[in-house]
Amino acid sequence: MRKTFLALALTLFALGVAAENPYKKYTEGLPFEMPEVAAPKIPNREVLLSDFEADGTGQQLCTDAFAKAIEALSQKGGGRLVVPSGIWLTGPIVLKSNIELFLDYGAVIQFAADEALYPIVKTSFEGLDTRRCQSPISAVGQENIAITGHGAIDGNGQYWRPLKKGKVTDGQWKAMTAQPGGVMKRKDYWVPSAGYDKAEQMSSMNVPDRQLSDREWNEIKRFLRPVMVSLVGCKNVLLQGVIFQNSPAWNLHPLMCENIIIDNVLARNPAYAQNGDALDLESCKNALIVNSKFDAGDDGICLKSGKDADGRRRGRPCENVVVSGCTVFAGHGGFVVGSEMSGGVRNIMVRQCQFLGTDVGLRFKSTRGRGGIVENIYVDGISMNDIKTYALTFNMYYGGKSVTEVLAEGAQPTEVSSVPVTEETPIFRNIDIRNVICSNAGFAMEFNGLPEMPIDGIHLKDIVIHAKNDATFQYSKNITKENVNIIIE
């Protein structure tokens, strides 16, 4: 079938018939200027992973086979690496320019649970320059790369992640905490190694907050759990059709990439997955996220641009992004901006999406110290059901916890006194939200800005929210409402 399609495509090309770009429609008629985005052009050449002495039973490592196959294609100018049906156990896979990793029906790439396979590398995590273990799939500075097909990629995340008892059943808790080498820090909190325990004592959030020697880095290696798919500074990227699941930390993390398409993928993590974001698009330009499904232990579709001084120094906004036809199931937020947005987020269209059972529907979050400007965001045509907390929230007091956790503690962060406006002051302005329907939310809306920098210029139109609690507005200005109906139930 693939050969028949290829022959037809070559014939059309020979006759001078240009194929229409199926992604062109997503960048037409936008309220901001955005260039057309097309899939990368991969050379017409393919090899089978099984031809490189790879074992598809899941019993033998295929790390060398993946590396040899990618190198063989790269030496010839690129092409498609076909992963046949089977379970392919492996360490890290590093993609190169002009390479397509294609998973056939029944193909599962399973990343091995062995920290020795993942060396510590310099990278960025949660918007900060730091070190982490090498990602299961990575590419740095490459062009024309793709991960496509019909199979699944599994990151073996349970080997890396900590666990909170309240997020799992008694049976899951008993089974997961029985893993050798783990440490019970509290009766309700378990970490996978003594090194992880040590690292938490000297870290702010998930990044060590002091200089470490090489020895110390290696002592806390399990704490440095990687994002599963790390694409840094790449151009012309396509992720299509594949299941990405069970990541050690974030699932998909394009960073400083340009011209990226995420189409018809399923990115999922267990609901108890700590830092298990499905997609974090950070400091990227010209991106399409379409026809995809996200089911996560943390945020679903999240846009970022670096954190605090590191993010401001990078100075690269996340801009020109279209999110269309997507579904988000469990997660802290359906569509999220922040909290790491120090480089800015602008020119974003989110349309025709549904959020089913997320903690929050539309979530905009930041805090003092970030800086950055979030502006020119357009949301149109969103359906939400069973939203645990807010259908829509703007909260400038993010402290690292989910909204559900904050509400459970009974105190919501706020401020009554102003501080001077500096480069560290986050700004959220000029955001248009319309054609939204939400049934069964805990709260309708929350606008919780800073006294020195109110949330500014939010236009709400044609919105219906059924909620248990009404909307609240604090430190916000120029908020316009047109046909906004909140039904308290």
Side-chain angles (χ1 to χ4, degrees):
M1 181 64 72
R2 293 200 301 268
K3 292 182 179 179
T4 301
F5 177 81
L6 180 59
L8 177 60
L10 291 173
T11 300
L12 291 174
F13 181 78
L15 293 174
V17 180
E20 178 72 16
N21 176 14
Y23 296 105
K24 181 179 179 179
K25 62 183 179 182
Y26 294 107
T27 54
E28 294 178 332
L30 295 173
F32 50 85
E33 291 188 5
M34 178 173 172
E36 183 178 331
V37 182
K41 296 179 180 179
I42 304 297
N44 175 30
R45 182 183 298 108
E46 68 177 40
V47 298
L48 285 171
L49 180 66
S50 52
D51 290 339
F52 291 81
E53 300 181 352
D55 174 75
T57 68
Q59 302 303 308
Q60 301 292 328
L61 281 175
C62 301
T63 314
D64 289 344
F66 274 104
K68 289 176 181 177
I70 290 171
E71 181 60 23
L73 281 171
S74 183
Q75 289 295 325
K76 296 178 180 179
R80 170 185 280 190
L81 170 56
V82 177
V83 182
S85 177
I87 298 179
W88 310 90
L89 183 68
T90 183
I93 296 172
V94 179
L95 296 178
K96 295 186 177 183
S97 293
N98 305 310
I99 298 292
E100 176 182 1
L101 181 64
F102 178 87
L103 284 74
D104 216 337
Y105 289 101
V108 177
I109 296 176
Q110 175 78 57
F111 286 98
D114 181 358
E115 67 178 45
L117 296 174
Y118 305 87
I120 297 174
V121 298
K122 290 183 178 181
T123 185
S124 174
F125 185 63
E126 293 193 338
L128 297 176
D129 298 332
T130 184
R131 297 185 185 185
R132 308 292 288 183
C133 287
Q134 182 174 334
S135 290
I137 295 181
S138 65
V140 179
Q142 304 300 299
E143 295 189 11
N144 301 318
I145 57 175
I147 303 173
T148 68
H150 317 283
I153 296 173
D154 189 292
N156 225 327
Q158 69 277 359
Y159 170 79
W160 299 88
R161 294 189 299 258
L163 191 65
K164 295 179 179 178
K165 187 175 183 179
K167 292 189 175 184
V168 295
T169 65
D170 289 343
Q172 288 172 321
W173 175 255
K174 184 177 180 180
M176 294 179 187
T177 57
Q179 297 179 56
V183 175
M184 192 71 67
K185 294 192 66 171
R186 302 188 303 268
K187 64 179 182 180
D188 61 349
Y189 183 59
W190 175 91
V191 296
S193 70
Y196 202 112
D197 181 25
K198 179 179 179 180
E200 284 199 327
Q201 299 174 32
M202 57 183 184
S203 298
S204 174
M205 299 290 285
N206 295 294
V207 177
D209 54 12
R210 64 178 179 84
Q211 294 294 320
L212 302 180
S213 66
D214 289 343
R215 178 185 58 81
E216 288 174 313
W217 281 111
N218 280 283
E219 286 178 349
I220 64 169
K221 196 170 186 183
R222 194 80 69 88
F223 176 79
L224 306 174
R225 51 197 170 100
V227 301
M228 188 165 77
V229 179
S230 174
L231 307 173
V232 181
C234 295
K235 187 174 182 179
N236 305 331
V237 176
L238 174 65
L239 307 181
Q240 183 185 62
V242 173
I243 298 170
F244 299 89
Q245 68 172 26
N246 202 16
S247 56
W250 296 347
N251 198 324
L252 306 177
H253 184 209
L255 170 64
M256 296 186 291
C257 292
E258 185 173 347
N259 300 337
I260 179 168
I261 299 171
I262 299 174
D263 179 17
N264 192 33
V265 307
L266 169 58
R268 67 174 194 163
N269 277 325
Y272 54 79
Q274 191 81 1
N275 311 115
D277 297 26
L279 168 64
D280 290 283
L281 191 77
E282 184 173 357
S283 294
C284 290
K285 183 177 182 179
N286 303 332
L288 305 179
I289 305 164
V290 299
N291 310 318
S292 294
K293 296 178 175 62
F294 305 91
D295 193 358
D298 209 303
D299 289 328
I301 302 168
C302 190
L303 306 188
K304 300 178 180 290
S305 62
K307 183 176 181 179
D308 300 347
D310 284 357
R312 295 193 298 273
R313 182 167 53 251
R314 182 198 297 161
R316 294 185 60 167
C318 198
E319 61 183 334
N320 297 349
V321 179
V322 174
V323 180
S324 179
C326 292
T327 302
V328 182
F329 298 101
H332 289 177
F335 172 76
V336 183
V337 176
S339 70
E340 305 94 83
M341 37 60 70
S342 301
V345 177
R346 65 193 182 203
N347 297 345
I348 313 296
M349 169 61 79
V350 183
R351 60 191 177 197
Q352 306 305 318
C353 294
Q354 54 254 2
F355 308 144
L356 308 175
T358 55
D359 286 5
V360 176
L362 298 163
R363 186 183 188 191
F364 298 82
K365 56 180 177 175
S366 189
T367 189
R368 286 170 173 155
R370 294 284 189 268
I373 301 174
V374 174
E375 63 183 349
N376 301 340
I377 314 293
Y378 302 87
V379 179
D380 188 357
I382 306 297
S383 299
M384 311 184 206
N385 189 37
D386 293 335
I387 304 302
K388 295 181 179 63
T389 64
Y390 296 94
L392 166 64
T393 175
F394 290 85
N395 195 316
M396 300 299 103
Y397 302 91
Y398 179 69
K401 296 182 178 180
S402 71
V403 178
T404 300
E405 291 172 321
V406 171
L407 292 174
E409 292 174 355
Q412 297 186 62
T414 187
E415 184 59 78
V416 295
S417 59
S418 296
V419 301
V421 173
T422 69
E423 65 173 5
E424 297 183 357
T425 306
I427 300 172
F428 283 67
R429 67 191 184 195
N430 302 336
I431 298 173
D432 188 285
I433 301 173
R434 60 183 64 201
N435 298 317
V436 173
I437 177 71
C438 176
S439 65
N440 193 28
F443 299 81
M445 293 185 284
E446 172 194 41
F447 284 63
N448 194 10
L450 298 170
E452 69 272 14
M453 186 58 67
I455 301 156
D456 187 9
I458 313 300
H459 181 52
L460 308 172
K461 181 179 180 182
D462 296 333
I463 294 174
V464 178
I465 300 175
H466 296 257
K468 297 178 180 64
N469 298 277
D470 206 347
T472 59
F473 296 85
Q474 178 170 258
Y475 300 122
S476 56
K477 65 180 183 180
N478 300 318
I479 311 299
T480 64
K481 305 174 190 176
E482 186 177 349
N483 193 27
V484 175
N485 295 290
I486 297 174
I487 298 95
I488 304 301
E489 299 178 333

